[in-house]
Amino acid sequence: MSVMQSGTQMVKLKSGTKGLVRLFYLDEHRTCIRWRPSRKSEKAKIVIDSIYKVTEGRQSEIFHRHAEGNFDPSCCFTIYHGNHMESLDLITSNPEEARTWITGLKYLMAGISDEDSLAKRQRTHDHWVKQTFEEADKNGDGLLNIEEIHQLMHKLNVNLPRRKVRQMFQEADTDENQGTLNFEEFSVFYKMMSLRRDLYLLLLSYSDKKDHLTVEELAQFLKVEQKMNNVTPEYCLDIIQKFEVSEENKKQNVLGIEGFTNFMRSPACDIFNPLHCEVHQDMDQPLCNYFIASSHNTYLTGDQLLSQSRAEMYARVLQDGCRCIEVDCWDGPDGEPVVHHGYTLTSKILFRDVAETINKYAFIKNEFPVILSIENHCSIQQQKKIAQYLKEIFGDKLDLSSVITGDSRQLPSPQNLKGKILVKGKKLPYSLGADAEEGEVSDEDSADEIEDDCKLKPCYNNGATEHQVESFIRTKLESLIKESQIRDKEDPDSFTVRALLKATHEGLNVNLKQNLDTKEGGKKSHSRSLMGNFGKHKKAVKAASKYHSASDEEEGQQNSSGKEMGQLHRLARRRKTVKLCRALSDLVVYTNSVAAQDIVDDGSTGNVLSFSETRAHQAVQQKAEQFMLYNQKQLTRVYPSAYRIDSSNFNPLPYWNVGCQLVALNYQTEGRVMQLNEAKFRVNGNCGYVLKPQQMCKGTFNPYAADPLPASPKKQLILKIISGQQLPKPPDSMLGDRGEIIDPFVEVEIIGLPVDCCKDQTRVVDDNGFNPVWEETLTFTIHMPEIALVRFLVWDHDPIGRDFVGQRTLAFSSLVPGYRHVYLEGLTEASIFVHITINEIYGKWSPLILNPSYTILHFLGATKNKQLIGLRGLFNKNPKHNSAETSGHYVRKRSLGDRILRRTASAPAKGRKKSKMGFLEATEIKDSASEPVDLKDREGVVRRTSRSLQARPASMPVDKYLLAGLPCPEDETAQDAQGKENASVEIAH
């Protein structure tokens, strides 16, 4: 470690250059590798946590490109890191240095991954404080003066009066060097500045107004608020010893405010249930009863046209918990099959390398089975080579003869398949004799979803070199994707990539030949015509109803003259067959890939129905309940449309909602969809298998109904959003740290069954990202909590540039009740502090017990519609969720001044819809099951969607009513609030 920290001169290899000599060193906190000199000093680092693997020798693609370089393999190593598996290729001057770095990095990687979460949280906090101090120390003298402190306050989004800052500065400045703070003094200053009023008041309410908690008071807090069972005095003493800072308090066995703050910010009070970090679900049910984490085009690092294929991507996704990976196999030179994206310019990698990588990383983090989805485009000869490699490399992992299913008509369980690799692919029909070495099978897969005129293959026939074609496509792709980028990251699929690809390909195939031969002026005019073409497509998409599926949009964009031809072409394509060899067919046991039209209900198990998102969308819309029944016996894989050339992801929700197990996503593309996928699979120790709800495994229900499961209890989630901590400026703010102090607000989104999908948000707090206080309650009713996700988003109300600050998404079932911190993903210290209450609501008529006045109104002859509105209002028990008619007549009339002070909560940026649906596509449910959806429109959305965001009542009285059962200091006002609540309900009727 000391050698690495003092630094080593190494050559950094780059493609197309000779290499750069740099000094690489491990930082003092052992959290990242840095190098200098570098023009981008802040970016010249690799965080240890982001490293996936370190390989010895000249194994990487860049080393292969520098084949002429006379490097000693024992001096070479490669670090793979980040989401896209970027490689840092290094050459040391002697083998000892390389060995030191390889061993040291592997040690650090192992240590950090196994580190106690509390120690890790403390280490990252200390590192963050130190880094903050160093960045604020502009002249590098190890001291901060008052002016540097003021600049730091602005950077940290703190809007304190200068007088208050100076006062804290003077209190912290205790050494003889007056007027400046060294690091120790700055740590004291930072603690003073960070003193949490919300936590201090909480401590006072449980300590009988003292400034510390005794063992008994701490136990009471844990039982009453945190809903913890079996709280022993020993456990409380352990907390005091672990978190208390003052030695005096430790001796007296009490927890002061600093220790209490440390405890509340520790993993013990995180919102995520720590039991869910391990596999805790029943793993002995058939495979079809689980959602299975699945990747699409696993080998790609980026887009589907030009990006690199890398074997290391398999290492990354397997370690991320993915259990179904895709391998596209094509004929390669010298009889060696290769993996790449067909009909495109993506780079090729050897199938053998892919198989070896999978074998090495499949079971490092968990032993549950891996499904290998083989997309076979090879000749019989190379298919035999694939089968040979699979047998040689995987060996016994492919042998499923000893697997017990319990019932011959039932798939085996993940538990029974531990350590096994299942090959998903085509199987020769049983009608063929066992001695037949090969046969015909139908061919349906993601590559052939692109119409023939959209494949890049024909481009080379126009006399253009591959380099010309690539540079032409790259330019077009960049300009088109740039145009399609959305300001608001949270609005998925607001742009149809289908139109983008169609325009690109039409331009390529129609104009490439003349354009590559013409002079510069011609190129420009073509560029304009291509962009014009793209613009028309884009307008067509926008003009189309937002409820239409992606396939409808595609067909709407086709020329009417070519419509019939296109349909004929599609029919012809469906009947296409390919030759399959017996050796590869025999490796397929429980995962036989079939097309929808090939399904015969002969009672056989082990069929995997493969659907592109467009076809799956139609199936969900037309036959949701039948689809769910099918998924109770067999597996279904849904993969992204081949038209998503930027590797964007579709909304997986409709497919999860009907029980599709293998919803394959582009793991290389960060963003909302992958965050939902991660949240879904984190619920069971991130092992890649999550048990489906019982209602999806037996019987059926309509996921689009207004009340899909009337017999099951619903959950009521009462979320009090209390405060925020150290919320940074938006990551893409144009002015960076010099920009305005942010005006944050929190949005909470529920994502699950359509009836549950909705959003709600707090008011805006002006000029405070360091410790904003909202103290607002949001209430949600959830019909199927087992599949619901809860998404916390923090936005800046009026930034220059992007307004998205951060997010955290969790499964509803992973939420823990009580006072909890929600740490925003990817941000070291940023969090929001919340209080969570989860109640059960039984049946449709339970509100009658809560509010007998409803029955009186019923006898008075209120209309059915009004009754239902009343019920909904009672379910939520929050007047701000009343219908449009009633929200204007809320009992509490607010003054104009009050309204101005509060500001509106319509804070999403311009162009962001104030829809309360979880996803843009969630509105597509209107196409299917129209009757229940109309019901939902009349009564369901009334909960939230139609209420005005402009004039929202303050939430405090309602909070006190909702939390009346809890021992809060505000109990005395609860009755008053209940009176107001009842009054508002009567007005609603």
Side-chain angles (χ1 to χ4, degrees), residues 662-720:
L662 301 158
V663 180
L665 299 174
N666 288 305
Y667 270 57
Q668 69 271 33
T669 303
E670 296 169 31
R672 175 191 173 92
V673 171
M674 276 311 296
Q675 287 157 4
L676 300 186
N677 193 64
E678 284 158 19
K680 186 170 193 71
F681 288 101
R682 208 173 285 135
V683 77
N684 192 27
N686 201 31
C687 74
Y689 288 84
V690 168
L691 196 57
K692 295 199 287 193
Q694 200 51 42
Q695 300 96 322
M696 279 188 183
C697 300
K698 283 187 181 141
T700 185
F701 63 92
N702 180 0
Y704 293 113
D707 189 3
L709 302 160
S712 304
K714 298 158 190 57
K715 296 276 188 190
Q716 184 190 49
L717 172 64
I718 302 169
L719 258 179
K720 186 170 186 181

Side-chain angles (χ1 to χ4, degrees), residues 297 299-300 304-305 309 328-330 338-348 375 377 445-450 454-457 505 642:
N297 286 349
Y299 47 89
L300 287 182
Q304 318 264 327
L305 278 185
S309 305
D328 281 349
C329 305
W330 298 79
V338 293
V339 174
H340 79 117
H341 195 38
Y343 312 117
T344 68
L345 300 177
T346 56
S347 64
K348 299 175 175 69
E375 299 284 0
H377 307 272
D445 62 47
S446 50
D448 276 352
E449 191 192 303
I450 306 183
C454 282
K455 292 172 182 172
L456 291 186
K457 222 174 177 179
H505 277 304

Side-chain angles (χ1 to χ4, degrees), residues 895-902:
S895 68
L896 181 64
D898 185 18
R899 237 171 290 161
I900 292 166
L901 279 172
R902 178 177 178 78

Side-chain angles (χ1 to χ4, degrees), residues 553-761:
E553 286 168 5
E554 177 203 1
E555 280 159 22
Q557 287 153 18
Q558 289 176 349
N559 295 329
S560 52
S561 58
K563 220 173 209 178
E564 287 170 38
M565 284 300 292
Q567 283 163 359
L568 286 170
H569 175 71
R570 274 195 291 279
L571 285 169
R573 191 180 77 235
R574 276 180 196 158
R575 296 194 195 100
K576 216 166 100 182
T577 58
V578 289
K579 273 193 161 40
L580 176 67
C581 83
R582 169 71 62 188
L584 196 50
S585 169
D586 286 350
L587 295 177
V588 176
V589 182
Y590 294 110
T591 43
N592 175 22
S593 195
V594 295
Q597 60 270 23
D598 298 334
I599 285 186
V600 182
D601 191 11
D602 57 1
S604 61
T605 53
N607 286 335
V608 182
L609 183 58
S610 284
F611 267 135
S612 78
E613 63 176 283
T614 45
R615 291 183 202 160
H617 180 84
Q618 289 161 0
V620 168
Q621 294 222 316
Q622 291 157 17
K623 299 176 179 176
E625 292 182 59
Q626 291 94 313
F627 206 173
M628 195 180 291
L629 284 169
Y630 176 83
N631 289 328
Q632 289 171 10
K633 298 276 181 246
Q634 307 281 12
L635 299 174
T636 300
R637 180 174 185 264
V638 182
Y639 53 83
S641 161
Y643 289 89
R644 292 181 177 274
I645 49 167
D646 59 348
S647 290
S648 62
N649 278 313
F650 59 90
N651 171 15
L653 229 63
Y655 314 113
W656 285 335
N657 287 345
V658 292
C660 294
Q661 299 87 351
L662 301 158
V663 180
L665 299 174
N666 288 305
Y667 270 57
Q668 69 271 33
T669 303
E670 296 169 31
R672 175 191 173 92
V673 171
M674 276 311 296
Q675 287 157 4
L676 300 186
N677 193 64
E678 284 158 19
K680 186 170 193 71
F681 288 101
R682 208 173 285 135
V683 77
N684 192 27
N686 201 31
C687 74
Y689 288 84
V690 168
L691 196 57
K692 295 199 287 193
Q694 200 51 42
Q695 300 96 322
M696 279 188 183
C697 300
K698 283 187 181 141
T700 185
F701 63 92
N702 180 0
Y704 293 113
D707 189 3
L709 302 160
S712 304
K714 298 158 190 57
K715 296 276 188 190
Q716 184 190 49
L717 172 64
I718 302 169
L719 258 179
K720 186 170 186 181
I721 312 289
I722 301 167
S723 61
Q725 292 78 43
Q726 292 154 48
L727 305 174
K729 292 180 171 61
D732 300 296
S733 169
M734 282 164 61
L735 294 178
D737 294 333
R738 292 175 295 124
E740 285 183 19
I741 290 173
I742 66 169
D743 306 327
F745 72 99
V746 178
E747 179 179 71
V748 179
E749 182 178 4
I750 306 293
I751 299 151
L753 288 184
V755 70
D756 292 333
C757 286
C758 57
K759 299 178 182 181
D760 205 353
Q761 60 206 26

